[in-house]
Amino acid sequence: MTTTDRDPVTATTGRDPATATADRYTVISADCHAGADLLDYKPYLESRHHDAFDAWADTYVNPYEDLLADTADKNWNSDRRLAELEQDGIVAEVVFPNTIPPFFPSASLMAPAPTREEFEQRWAGLRAHNRWLADFCAAAPGRRAGVFQILLNDVDEAVKEIRWAAAAGLKGGLLLPGTPPGSGLPELYSSAYDPIWATCAELGVPVNHHAGSASPPLGDEPAARAVFMVETTWFSHRALWHLVFGGAFRRHPELKLVLTEQGSGWIPGVLDMLDYYHGRLVAAATRASTAESKFGAGLAASMGKGPSEVWRENCFVGASFMRPHEVPLRDRIGLDKIMWGSDYPHDEGTYPYSREGLRIAYAGLPRDEIAAMVGGNAARVYGFDLDHLEPIAAKVGPTVEELAAPLKEPPADATSPVFAAGGRVRVW
């Protein structure tokens, strides 16, 4: 099967996430990636950094094969990107970073800066990416919600960048770095970050925490990549309980947290666990002094509502390409919380078989539920205008009939894990 012998795909939620426009869906991918070609960041740097950038770029060796391949321009070629996403049935996207920002050894925001000068250069590199991203999103009005980057080492500078990004129209919100062991930063539950949460809540800026952005360095031993795969989602999940137990949502009730590309099947079990510890520790704190009472001291007052209630009111999941085993949990996760994503242009993403990926997960579900998960929820969280997207979806979106048909055989050359073993691979 090729991508040219099928009807184009889209999913729509219409104005109401419980409706679809005509006979097609409006599909918004809540997980895509982009960035500038290395040298194209230079115009976005302040001129005082140009000589240092030239020296850095002359010796830089990109560690990522997909950014060296002929297809790397999917990250920055706006016309190609629009065409391929439409071909895949997608009309809008939330755009996370992908390429290496200036002065970084890799894409990791936690890469330590040995000197103050290097730290300042890395801030300049992130600002350059954010400004490039604003122009990239402006090249496709209403169809891209850019996710901007900050560092946590300087909260005042982070707040300034949040305000700039919101004014520049980067509706995808903030990419929250992790604070893995060895980072030297306060943990995410620390009140030191309150100015960041307050600014995001004030401006309606979503806080996104993406898989892979919170793991500690593991070295180059043969087992390192396997251990990274086992642990990376757990390190990413940590942001949830840090912010919940840290009381960020009590102090800033308008704050929105989105956990992206971390799977979704883990959420009900983790919420049960967090509710258990919350109830147990709060209860223990009311009893006579015991070893356990100390663990719960002050917890109820500092965090306010329980974890499940916070999830219902403040949190969302960028579930990327949902696996079939996760879909039956949608009511426990929250049907209004789930946002599908294609992970374009990554090899593990569903392109060019997003229609098939949607079918393997959602075939047989009620139309309004599919519409919410593939577009309506993302439109609400990231501020997409469904009236603007509807005419595009009417041309390229997957039909209701198409997504209703179960997928009998996955495409032979598909690379996304959603198709592995019939999509039964679990992501914990």
Side-chain angles (χ1 to χ4, degrees):
M1 179 183 295
T2 69
T3 57
T4 57
D5 59 9
R6 302 175 301 182
D7 290 335
V9 154
T10 325
T12 87
T13 20
R15 296 159 200 71
D16 179 342
T19 66
T21 114
D23 63 343
R24 294 182 185 269
Y25 292 102
T26 300
V27 179
I28 299 171
S29 173
D31 181 24
C32 289
H33 297 265
D37 198 1
L38 189 69
L39 298 181
D40 289 343
Y41 279 124
K42 182 175 179 179
Y44 294 93
L45 287 164
E46 296 176 61
S47 59
R48 63 190 177 95
H49 294 294
H50 283 183
D51 289 345
F53 175 81
D54 290 341
W56 172 79
D58 282 347
T59 60
Y60 185 74
V61 178
N62 199 309
Y64 299 108
E65 292 180 6
D66 63 323
L67 297 180
L68 299 172
D70 292 340
T71 56
D73 75 322
K74 291 182 177 185
N75 284 283
W76 57 80
N77 185 329
S78 182
D79 291 340
R80 175 178 183 170
R81 191 180 185 97
L82 286 172
E84 291 190 348
L85 288 175
E86 286 186 10
Q87 179 187 41
D88 215 23
I90 297 166
V91 299
E93 55 175 332
V94 179
V95 186
F96 286 85
N98 199 44
T99 62
I100 310 302
F103 305 116
F104 279 76
S106 72
S108 173
L109 298 186
M110 292 314 307
T115 68
R116 179 69 191 180
E117 179 185 20
E118 286 175 287
F119 173 70
E120 291 175 355
Q121 287 177 341
R122 291 182 187 179
W123 250 119
L126 292 189
R127 289 191 181 99
H129 169 81
N130 295 342
R131 282 142 188 80
W132 173 87
L133 182 61
D135 283 350
F136 186 70
C137 291
R143 301 184 65 178
R144 293 175 180 149
V147 178
F148 62 90
Q149 300 182 80
I150 63 164
L151 292 171
L152 293 175
N153 311 60
D154 189 324
V155 170
D156 291 340
E157 287 300 312
V159 167
K160 290 178 185 176
E161 191 66 6
I162 294 167
R163 292 194 178 279
W164 175 87
L170 289 174
K171 293 186 175 183
L174 163 73
L175 178 60
L176 178 65
T179 56
S183 70
L185 293 171
E187 297 285 0
L188 287 178
Y189 56 69
S190 171
S191 60
Y193 302 122
D194 256 21
I196 293 175
W197 315 143
T199 305
C200 289
E202 172 199 341
L203 301 176
V205 170
V207 173
N208 304 277
H209 197 55
H210 194 282
S213 63
S215 300
L218 294 172
D220 299 319
E221 294 294 321
R225 287 187 179 274
V227 172
F228 174 84
M229 290 297 290
V230 170
E231 295 181 346
T232 186
T233 51
W234 183 85
F235 276 107
S236 298
H237 299 345
R238 291 177 80 218
L240 174 62
W241 50 82
H242 276 235
L243 268 66
V244 168
F245 285 121
F249 301 103
R250 178 188 65 80
R251 297 187 298 276
H252 313 287
E254 302 303 315
L255 187 65
K256 291 188 291 190
L257 175 67
V258 184
L259 303 172
T260 297
E261 204 179 329
Q262 304 177 29
S264 60
W266 59 276
I267 292 168
V270 165
L271 289 177
D272 288 345
M273 176 191 71
L274 298 181
D275 284 340
Y276 165 74
Y277 279 112
H278 172 256
R280 172 179 164 182
L281 294 175
V282 167
T286 65
R287 294 194 283 269
S289 180
T290 64
E292 185 156 286
S293 69
K294 295 180 175 64
F295 284 91
L299 185 63
S302 68
M303 70 177 283
K305 298 172 182 175
S308 284
E309 192 172 355
V310 171
W311 175 265
R312 288 192 297 271
E313 294 186 4
N314 300 91
C315 303
F316 304 86
V317 57
S320 297
F321 32 82
M322 282 186 84
R323 281 73 164 175
H325 79 273
E326 297 172 306
V327 176
L329 298 171
R330 63 192 182 280
D331 289 328
R332 294 183 62 196
I333 297 166
L335 192 61
D336 61 336
K337 303 293 181 183
I338 298 167
M339 301 179 289
W340 178 88
S342 70
D343 201 25
Y344 177 94
H346 289 165
D347 287 344
E348 66 269 25
T350 54
Y351 175 82
Y353 298 114
S354 289
R355 294 173 178 82
E356 287 80 3
L358 290 166
R359 288 170 60 191
I360 204 170
Y362 297 142
L365 297 188
R367 179 174 169 177
D368 60 332
E369 294 188 5
I370 297 173
M373 291 186 287
V374 304
N377 294 335
R380 177 166 44 85
V381 172
Y382 293 106
F384 287 102
D385 182 348
L386 290 169
D387 288 335
H388 174 73
L389 297 175
E390 185 175 308
I392 308 167
K395 297 176 182 177
V396 305
T399 65
V400 171
E401 181 181 13
E402 179 182 10
L403 295 197
L407 186 68
K408 296 179 180 179
E409 193 70 31
D413 58 342
T415 55
S416 173
V418 75
F419 298 114
R424 292 188 294 273
V425 175
R426 292 185 180 271
V427 175
W428 300 100

